[in-house]
């Protein structure tokens, strides 16, 4: 039996449980996976970057790299 794989949220980087979340497909074929409406709204409607939004994993990783230098 094959276990369904976990997918990470495109915006915040958190793991999405199988059977939950939202998949958004653009006309050009780009696929986005979102864990919540909050992430979907921030990326698509508000056009925010994950690395400049404080509560995302990508922001934390970049901040950690900046502090090391």
């Amino acid at each position: 039996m094959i276990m369904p794989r976990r997918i990470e949220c495109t915006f915040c980087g958190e793991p999405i449980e199988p059977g939950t979340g939202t998949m958004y497909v653009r006309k050009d074929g780009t696929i986005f996976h979102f864990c919540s409406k909050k992430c979907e709204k921030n990326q698509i409607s508000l056009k925010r970057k994950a690395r400049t939004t404080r509560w995302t994993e990508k922001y934390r990783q970049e901040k950690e790299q900046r502090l090391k230098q």
Side-chain angles (χ1 to χ4, degrees), residues 40-52:
E40 185 178 346
K41 185 177 180 180
N42 272 285
Q43 183 161 358
I44 296 170
S45 302
L46 302 175
K47 298 179 181 172
R48 291 188 177 152
K49 305 278 188 260
R51 59 192 172 101
T52 59

Side-chain angles (χ1 to χ4, degrees), residues 3-7 16-21:
M3 294 294 293
R5 62 185 179 107
R6 287 193 176 184
I7 302 169
I16 302 172
E17 291 291 326
T20 61

Side-chain angles (χ1 to χ4, degrees), residues 14-29:
E14 291 193 20
I16 302 172
E17 291 291 326
T20 61
T22 307
M23 181 168 64
Y24 182 85
V25 183
R26 283 190 180 164
K27 289 181 184 178
D28 65 358

Side-chain angles (χ1 to χ4, degrees), residues 13-69:
E14 291 193 20
I16 302 172
E17 291 291 326
T20 61
T22 307
M23 181 168 64
Y24 182 85
V25 183
R26 283 190 180 164
K27 289 181 184 178
D28 65 358
T30 308
I31 299 172
F32 298 111
H33 296 279
F34 298 109
C35 61
S36 63
K37 194 70 173 174
K38 177 182 178 181
C39 292
E40 185 178 346
K41 185 177 180 180
N42 272 285
Q43 183 161 358
I44 296 170
S45 302
L46 302 175
K47 298 179 181 172
R48 291 188 177 152
K49 305 278 188 260
R51 59 192 172 101
T52 59
T53 308
R54 289 186 176 198
W55 50 269
T56 63
E57 187 64 35
K58 293 175 186 176
Y59 176 84
R60 291 184 199 125
Q61 289 172 352
E62 282 207 9
K63 183 177 180 183
E64 184 178 311
Q65 288 178 354
R66 280 185 271 136
L67 293 176
K68 284 183 180 178
Q69 294 176 351

